[in-house]
Structures are given as C-alpha cells and as structure tokens.
Amino acid sequence: MKILVPIKRVVDYNVKVRPKEDGSDVDLANVKMSVNPFCEIAVEEAVRIKEAGQATEIVVVSIGTSKAQEQIRAAMALGADRGILVETEDKLEPLAVAKCLQKIYEEETPDLVIMGKQSIDGDNNQTGQMLAALLSLPQGTFASKLSLADGKCSVTREIDGGLQTLELKLPAIITTDLRLNEPRYASLPNIMKAKKKPLDVKALADLGVDSTPRVTLLSVEPPAERSAGVKVASIDELLDKLRNEAKVIQ
C-alpha cells in the first residue's frame, strides 16, 4: 500500500503573527516556519500504518516555494520515504491546491491519502473535500480514529451529536483531527537520514493547473484589543452597564 500525505509550510503555531506595516499581508520576515500541525498528525498516522505492516511507502507532497523543502525533509525525518515539491511563488487557494494534488494523485496512484483537515493560516478546511470531489473518491473528514482491513478503512469522526463511524472502500481521502494521535519527535539519526531521501521538484506550470486567485486580499490588521474587565457592586449596576454602556440589552 502506498500512502500520499500532503503537507503545508505555515508559521509555527508558537509565533505571534503580525501584519505588515502597510497592512498588505502577514509579515513573514524572520519568522519561524513549520509543518502545519494537522499535517504532522497526518504524517504520524501514515507512519504508524507503515510500522504496523499495512503500508510499504509514504510519499509526502507540498506546494510552495523552494523553502518548503525544509518541511518535506522534516516529514521524511518522521518516517516518510520520499518527497515531492510542486514549486511555485504563487499563493494558491484551496481549489488550485486540490487540482495540484489531483495531478500528483494521478501520477502516484496511492491507495490512501491522509491529510490535515485544515491549515492554521488559512483555516479554510476545504482542500480535502475538494480533492475527494475531483477524484470521485470516498472521504472521511475530521478523523479521530482510523483502522484498515480487507481493502477498506474504518473512520471514526466527531460530529455535533457525538461520534460517527464510516466504512470506506480504498482508495479514499482522509482528513485528520487533533485527537487522532500525538506526533512524535524526529530523532537526530532520522534527521540525518532524511537528508539523503529522494525529493522530486516539479514546476506548477508542468501540472497545467491555473493558479489565478479568485479572492482578492484587501488588507490584514490585528484584532481589536480587549478592554479590561470591571467589577460591579450589584445586579442593578451590571444591568445598567449592559444597557447603557455595552448596549447589548434594552
């Protein structure tokens, strides 16, 4: 079994994101970048499946600038066998990303695609679903538990009413939730080995995918700072403030 794991290069989740002075975009100068946390969970799950003897190869793919090779190497240090970088300077929207992954899927023909349910920068939660639609494959989103047997996968996912379990016929698209697993740390020997693993670089133009944006970014600004709370001496004073200051009740 071959597993394809798409990953994304994002600002590290420990970094406080700042907008540029002109408000044109997020300031990425001298900012630590990492593998998207949900993508790390997807890599970990693929590695566990391989360690259980149910997969023979894990292929990691990322779409972005040449700097994304760093995140691909990080994924290979966790246990992926080889990597693919679709190199582009463009900022792709979810549909364009899904179309790129469609091309990679058709070239690699994996038995399973495991990917993060969303990235912590765009927070769109769309790419996995779009990819499944483009490929006409079954999908299990927000997976909190995954098991494989007899050419099928069982996916437990969280819904408003509790837990839902789906049985999907392979090949299938799985998007991971936080509760699926806890990613491991890469050991130094594996980090060194990852430097020698194959990494294939493709140009976005070679895939024939239109990267023209459909959404225009007008400005980026930080959220308004919250004002300090106050203590009130009575219910009447609280009601007065809610009515006359906050104006949330009449």
Side-chain angles (χ1 to χ4, degrees):
M1 174 188 290
K2 180 193 293 187
I3 303 177
L4 182 68
V5 185
I7 65 172
K8 186 177 183 182
R9 172 185 169 92
V10 299
V11 176
D12 189 89
Y13 70 92
N14 289 310
V15 174
K16 185 177 180 180
V17 178
R18 307 182 308 272
K20 293 180 178 179
E21 291 186 0
D22 61 1
S24 61
D25 207 338
V26 173
D27 187 1
L28 299 180
N30 301 315
V31 172
K32 181 182 178 183
M33 307 294 285
S34 300
V35 178
N36 177 51
F38 289 101
C39 299
E40 282 189 317
I41 293 171
V43 173
E44 173 66 24
E45 192 65 20
V47 172
R48 293 187 183 190
I49 292 172
K50 184 180 177 184
E51 290 176 341
Q54 295 179 296
T56 55
E57 185 181 28
I58 301 171
V59 182
V60 173
V61 58
S62 189
I63 304 167
T65 66
S66 60
K67 294 180 180 179
Q69 292 189 36
E70 177 186 351
Q71 281 63 50
I72 295 176
R73 295 291 181 192
M76 291 194 287
L78 295 175
D81 298 292
R82 59 186 176 93
I84 300 172
L85 171 63
V86 179
E87 192 169 356
T88 178
E89 296 291 333
D90 299 338
K91 289 187 176 181
L92 301 190
E93 294 173 359
L95 180 58
V97 173
K99 289 181 177 179
C100 287
L101 295 178
Q102 177 190 15
K103 299 294 185 181
I104 298 298
Y105 178 94
E106 291 170 350
E107 291 179 4
E108 295 290 332
T109 61
D111 302 284
L112 183 64
V113 178
I114 307 179
M115 58 196 301
K117 69 172 185 177
Q118 65 196 74
S119 60
I120 62 173
D121 52 1
D123 250 3
N124 291 303
N125 181 20
Q126 296 174 336
T127 304
Q129 293 89 327
M130 288 178 171
L131 179 60
L134 290 171
L135 294 171
S136 299
L137 292 179
Q139 60 179 301
T141 56
F142 319 130
S144 59
K145 186 178 179 182
L146 174 64
S147 61
L148 301 171
D150 302 324
K152 298 178 181 179
C153 62
S154 176
V155 179
T156 300
R157 56 193 301 269
E158 295 184 359
I159 59 174
D160 291 340
L163 297 177
Q164 180 186 59
T165 301
L166 305 175
E167 185 178 80
L168 310 176
K169 184 178 180 181
L170 298 180
I173 311 293
I174 307 297
T175 69
T176 61
D177 207 347
L178 286 173
R179 294 173 182 80
L180 181 59
N181 60 53
E182 184 175 345
R184 68 192 70 189
Y185 291 98
S187 64
L188 181 58
N190 287 336
I191 293 174
M192 300 306 292
K193 290 177 183 178
K195 295 180 179 180
K196 298 181 180 180
K197 291 183 178 180
L199 198 165
D200 186 20
V201 179
K202 301 175 181 289
L204 177 65
D206 295 339
L207 299 182
V209 174
D210 181 13
S211 61
T212 304
R214 291 167 170 78
V215 177
T216 301
L217 177 62
L218 300 179
S219 66
V220 177
E221 57 187 46
E225 295 186 4
R226 296 178 61 181
S227 57
V230 296
K231 292 184 179 181
V232 295
S234 65
I235 295 295
D236 291 336
E237 184 182 356
L238 172 63
L239 292 173
D240 179 67
K241 287 183 177 295
L242 292 175
R243 181 177 293 110
N244 299 313
E245 294 183 18
K247 301 185 183 302
V248 295
I249 61 174
Q250 295 180 351

